[in-house]
């Protein structure tokens, strides 16, 4: 049975990087990050931050001319433009990205991609997101104009989302939409048009719906995705065919966002197909197109509840460190045991996979098994010292051992294998887009779907015999830093963006309500923390608690 899909829309998973305008500790964390980089955080300085990262009209003309030359009929001119743009620095990167996403000329798109491969990464991307959130909370005069001017030079999708979120917050004053934002609905740049449409849509300005739908016609699939999801949140049915078309156009790491929205709209009537490495995107798109043709007229988004919800259940694994024998059980909202089974050998991980089904990794039992809630084994895979197990949306099963990462198909056949020869693996998680993250020797490593390392940065040590990290939808990773007595959330570049103090944490997961569920080995308890790090509830029990997951 397919596991319950957690629905997440355009906002990043809750952390310090919350939707714009969030007050309190998160704003303080943003200010701290900017000051740590040597930047002032008063309103004028925040606006100047974005002005300093926006090309002047003279620079725009200069680089615009070079970009135009990428498609020149003269070969030498194309080559010279390519060389000059490749040396221009990260501020020109978004202009080149637009050439690749809105290609009027294949040669220009190819050369723009070549330039992008040589450009440096924007070192201020995380700071730009923090500054945008602070401007949204304070709403100083001039915010809309400054952010609209900066938008074409935003480094990447997450920064664009933060800027658009800020524009949505400041888009209306005294009941009237900002004139500059309304004018941007007809901006010649597709990114600006879709961003203005998304901001006004999120602000509930339905009188511009025709402009929203017109903006959906841009070629850039990621810009269309953000706007389509905004329309979906506002219960506009026109979002659904747009999301269906995007299934065959989006990069692999973004497809899930369109797919999850469609699954929420379809309920139990959706097609039994999921995007993944083994499923052609066109097949997924065609299956949803057939669903829309049959069920579209009867689909009523007005009745849809988009509020992330939890059942209030908490799955826990527990063991006796002396014997290695353990049990798996689940608490209800009243913290009473709903079901349990024992006689499992060192159950270091577990996941509810459906009605009356739970996946269990037995470290000393040397197997991963799927059982019913009474403990009866329905399926199992013998592996050496498993430390993590995860049922994927495709129905495949991800397993991490001390030295290997595996993905098994429904029949138990290995379809992905990664051998790690360095320090043993202490935690691992598979991402929705096929990437994998794991911790080994105090470093967090990210692999692409083929198993090639694409990123590595230092984090605190995770408990050697199997801790639990959580990979969030926005690319961030929660790490229980056992030796540092804290749980930390890192962005994809290794920057810390949220933290909470916990004595010897061994497991951390982000819940649908934005809270964080942590297991403390030293205190023998499970603790739920809110976004500001305050304890919501705790559950203590003798023996060694190893894993806790909420649903």
């Amino acid at each position: 049975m397919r596991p319950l899909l957690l629905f997440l829309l355009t906002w990043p998973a809750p952390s310090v990087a919350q939707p714009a305008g969030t007050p309190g500790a998160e704003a303080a964390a943003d200010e701290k990050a900017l000051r740590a980089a040597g930047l002032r955080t008063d309103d004028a300085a925040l606006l100047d931050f974005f002005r300093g990262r926006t090309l002047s009209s003279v620079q725009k003309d200069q680089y615009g001319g070079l970009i135009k030359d990428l498609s020149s009929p003269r070969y030498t001119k194309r080559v010279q433009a390519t060389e000059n743009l490749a040396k221009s620095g990260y501020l020109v990167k978004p202009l080149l990205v637009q050439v690749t996403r809105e290609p009027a000329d294949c040669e220009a798109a190819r050369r723009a991609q070549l330039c992008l491969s040589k450009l440096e990464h924007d070192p201020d991307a995380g700071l730009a997101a923090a500054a945008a959130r602070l401007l949204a909370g304070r709403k100083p005069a001039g915010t809309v104009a400054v952010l609209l001017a900066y938008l074409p030079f935003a480094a990447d999708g997450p920064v664009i989302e933060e800027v658009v979120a800020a524009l949505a917050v400041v888009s209306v004053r005294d009941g009237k939409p900002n004139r500059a934002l309304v004018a941007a609905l007809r901006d010649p740049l597709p990114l600006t048009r879709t961003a203005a449409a998304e901001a006004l849509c999120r602000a509930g300005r339905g009188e511009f719906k025709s402009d929203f739908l017109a903006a959906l016609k841009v070629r850039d699939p990621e810009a269309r995705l953000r706007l389509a999801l905004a329309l979906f949140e506002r219960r506009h049915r026109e979002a659904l065919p747009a999301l269906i078309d995007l299934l065959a156009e989006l990069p692999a790491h973004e497809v899930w966002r369109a797919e999850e929205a469609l699954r929420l709209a379809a309920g139990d009537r959706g097609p039994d197909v999921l995007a993944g490495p083994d499923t052609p995107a066109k097949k997924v798109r065609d299956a949803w197109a057939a669903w829309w043709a049959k069920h579209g007229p009867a689909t009523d988004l007005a009745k849809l509840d988009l509020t992330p919800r939890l059942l209030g259940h908490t799955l826990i694994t527990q063991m006796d460190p002396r014997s290695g024998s353990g049990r798996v059980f689940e608490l209800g909202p009243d913290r009473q045991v709903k079901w349990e089974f024992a006689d499992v050998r060192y159950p270091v991980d577990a996941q509810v996979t459906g009605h009356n089904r739970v996946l269990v990794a037995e470290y000393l039992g040397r197997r991963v098994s799927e059982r019913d809630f009474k403990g009866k084994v329905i399926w199992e895979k013998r592996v050496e010292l498993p430390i993590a197990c995860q049922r994927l949306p495709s129905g495949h099963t991800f397993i991490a051992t001390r030295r290997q990462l595996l993905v098994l198909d429904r029949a138990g056949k290995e379809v992905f294998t990664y051998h790690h020869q360095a320090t043993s693996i202490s935690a691992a998680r598979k991402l929705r887009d096929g990437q994998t993250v794991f911790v080994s020797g105090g470093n967090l490593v990210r692999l692409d779907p083929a198993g090639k390392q694409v990123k590595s940065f230092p984090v605190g040590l995770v408990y050697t015999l199997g801790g639990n990290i959580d990979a969030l939808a926005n690319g961030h990773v929660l790490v229980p830093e056992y030796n540092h007595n804290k749980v930390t959330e890192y962005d994809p570049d290794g920057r810390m963006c949220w933290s909470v103090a916990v004595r010897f944490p061994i497991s951390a997961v982000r819940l649908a309500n934005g809270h964080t569920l942590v297991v403390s080995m030293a205190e023998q308890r499970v603790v739920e923390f809110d976004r500001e790090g305050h304890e919501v509830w705790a559950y203590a029990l003798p023996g060694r608690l190893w894993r806790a997951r909420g649903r």
Side-chain angles (χ1 to χ4, degrees):
M1 178 178 292
R2 180 186 301 154
L4 180 67
L5 293 171
L6 173 62
F7 176 70
L8 294 170
L9 288 169
T10 56
W11 305 121
S15 68
V16 167
Q18 282 296 299
T22 305
E26 295 171 356
D30 285 335
E31 291 182 10
K32 181 179 179 181
L34 289 163
R35 285 195 295 268
L39 300 171
R40 292 176 17 238
T41 58
D42 57 275
D43 293 352
L46 293 174
L47 293 171
D48 284 343
F49 174 93
F50 288 106
R51 292 189 183 105
R53 287 153 181 81
T54 302
L55 294 180
S56 67
S57 57
V58 174
Q59 290 172 311
K60 287 180 185 177
D61 290 341
Q62 174 191 349
Y63 292 128
L66 289 173
I67 287 174
K68 185 177 179 180
D69 287 345
L70 292 177
S71 55
S72 170
R74 293 176 54 191
Y75 173 75
T76 55
K77 204 167 188 178
R78 296 198 303 271
V79 170
Q80 189 62 52
T82 304
E83 291 177 354
N84 289 339
L85 285 166
K87 300 174 184 176
S88 298
Y90 66 86
L91 276 180
V92 77
K93 182 176 180 179
L95 299 180
L96 291 165
V97 169
Q98 286 302 312
V99 176
T100 65
R101 290 179 177 173
E102 297 275 339
D105 182 286
C106 291
E107 173 69 1
R110 183 185 71 81
R111 289 188 172 277
Q113 192 61 56
L114 179 63
C115 294
L116 287 169
S117 68
K118 297 180 179 180
L119 287 176
E120 61 185 287
H121 175 71
D122 181 0
D124 297 330
L127 298 177
R133 289 190 292 267
L134 290 173
L135 284 176
R138 300 175 186 177
K139 304 180 180 65
T143 295
V144 170
V146 167
L147 291 183
L148 281 175
Y150 165 77
L151 192 62
F153 308 99
D156 50 31
V159 176
I160 292 172
E161 290 187 3
E162 291 290 0
V163 171
V164 174
L167 286 170
V169 172
V170 301
S171 62
V172 178
R173 178 166 292 187
D174 298 327
K176 297 180 180 180
N178 182 279
R179 291 181 180 180
L181 200 57
V182 173
L185 290 170
R186 291 167 176 77
D187 193 276
L189 190 65
L191 174 61
T192 303
R193 290 202 306 276
T194 55
E198 181 187 346
L200 288 167
C201 180
R202 292 194 180 283
R205 306 305 301 196
E207 68 266 34
F208 300 105
K209 183 176 177 179
S210 61
D211 295 291
F212 304 160
L213 299 181
L216 275 177
K217 298 176 182 178
V218 302
R219 293 180 184 177
D220 181 351
E222 293 182 53
R224 277 160 48 211
L225 173 65
R226 290 189 290 267
L227 177 54
L229 289 173
L231 288 163
F232 180 78
E233 286 185 359
R234 285 291 170 179
R235 308 329 197 260
H236 293 296
R237 291 178 71 256
E238 293 86 349
L240 298 179
L243 290 168
I244 290 170
D245 289 341
L246 283 164
L247 292 172
E249 300 179 46
L250 288 166
H253 68 279
E254 294 280 19
V255 170
W256 71 271
R257 301 172 74 180
E259 195 173 43
E260 294 285 78
L262 290 167
R263 292 216 165 274
L264 189 62
D268 295 333
R269 299 177 301 170
D272 190 19
V273 60
L274 281 166
D278 302 324
T279 309
K282 185 178 181 298
K283 178 180 178 181
V284 179
R285 190 270 318 276
D286 291 347
W288 277 103
W291 168 84
W292 178 249
K294 182 177 181 180
H295 298 288
T299 302
D300 184 4
L301 296 187
K303 299 177 181 178
L304 212 57
D305 183 4
L306 302 182
T307 306
R309 295 188 182 277
L310 288 167
L311 296 176
H313 297 178
T314 305
L315 175 71
I316 298 174
T317 66
Q318 178 195 19
M319 67 189 69
D320 182 342
R322 294 168 299 179
S323 66
S325 180
R327 69 169 179 148
V328 179
F329 62 99
E330 190 170 47
L331 305 177
D334 58 358
R335 310 292 176 247
Q336 299 299 308
V337 175
K338 292 181 62 64
W339 57 264
E340 67 177 309
F341 55 82
D343 298 325
V344 279
R345 295 281 291 161
Y346 230 75
V348 296
D349 198 10
Q351 176 196 357
V352 173
T353 56
H355 175 68
N356 196 29
R357 293 290 185 272
V358 59
L359 198 65
V360 182
E362 298 176 65
Y363 184 78
L364 292 183
R366 289 174 166 78
R367 66 175 173 174
V368 172
S369 60
E370 188 164 16
R371 303 165 178 255
D372 64 20
F373 288 169
K374 294 182 179 179
K376 179 182 177 182
V377 175
I378 299 162
W379 170 92
E380 71 172 38
K381 174 70 174 181
R382 290 284 173 179
V383 289
E384 189 67 19
L385 303 176
I387 60 169
C389 58
Q390 179 186 355
R391 180 59 47 80
L392 305 178
S394 63
H396 293 182
T397 302
F398 172 72
I399 298 173
T401 74
R402 300 293 298 280
R403 295 291 182 183
Q404 277 189 316
L405 304 173
L406 308 169
V407 176
L408 312 176
D409 65 15
R410 296 171 189 248
K413 179 182 177 182
E414 292 183 14
V415 295
F416 173 85
T417 306
Y418 175 84
H419 297 275
H420 189 61
Q421 302 302 326
T423 309
S424 64
I425 298 169
S426 53
R429 200 77 178 155
K430 195 77 171 174
L431 281 69
R432 182 67 175 83
D433 62 2
Q435 294 192 62
T436 309
V437 288
F438 68 90
V439 176
S440 174
N443 288 306
L444 189 140
V445 179
R446 186 181 297 264
L447 306 176
D448 69 12
K452 179 181 178 181
Q453 181 174 318
V454 294
K455 192 75 175 180
S456 177
F457 54 81
V459 296
L461 291 173
V462 174
Y463 191 73
T464 308
L465 293 184
N468 181 71
I469 58 176
D470 197 8
L472 310 182
N474 59 353
H476 293 198
V477 182
L478 275 178
V479 181
E481 301 185 12
Y482 188 82
N483 62 325
H484 291 160
N485 291 301
K486 64 180 180 178
V487 172
T488 304
E489 180 179 342
Y490 291 94
D491 74 7
D493 293 316
R495 289 184 288 260
M496 186 185 78
C497 50
W498 185 84
S499 184
V500 65
V502 184
R503 287 188 64 213
F504 298 113
I506 190 173
S507 172
V509 299
R510 179 61 47 78
L511 302 175
N513 62 1
H515 293 183
T516 302
L517 195 63
V518 181
V519 175
S520 166
M521 178 173 286
E523 297 177 351
Q524 298 178 309
R525 65 180 192 145
V526 177
V527 188
E528 180 178 333
F529 294 96
D530 65 18
R531 301 176 188 185
E532 278 145 5
H534 301 141
E535 187 174 310
V536 178
W537 65 271
Y539 180 84
L541 199 66
R544 181 168 294 177
L545 303 181
W546 207 274
R547 198 75 82 239
R549 300 191 185 278
R551 66 182 181 107

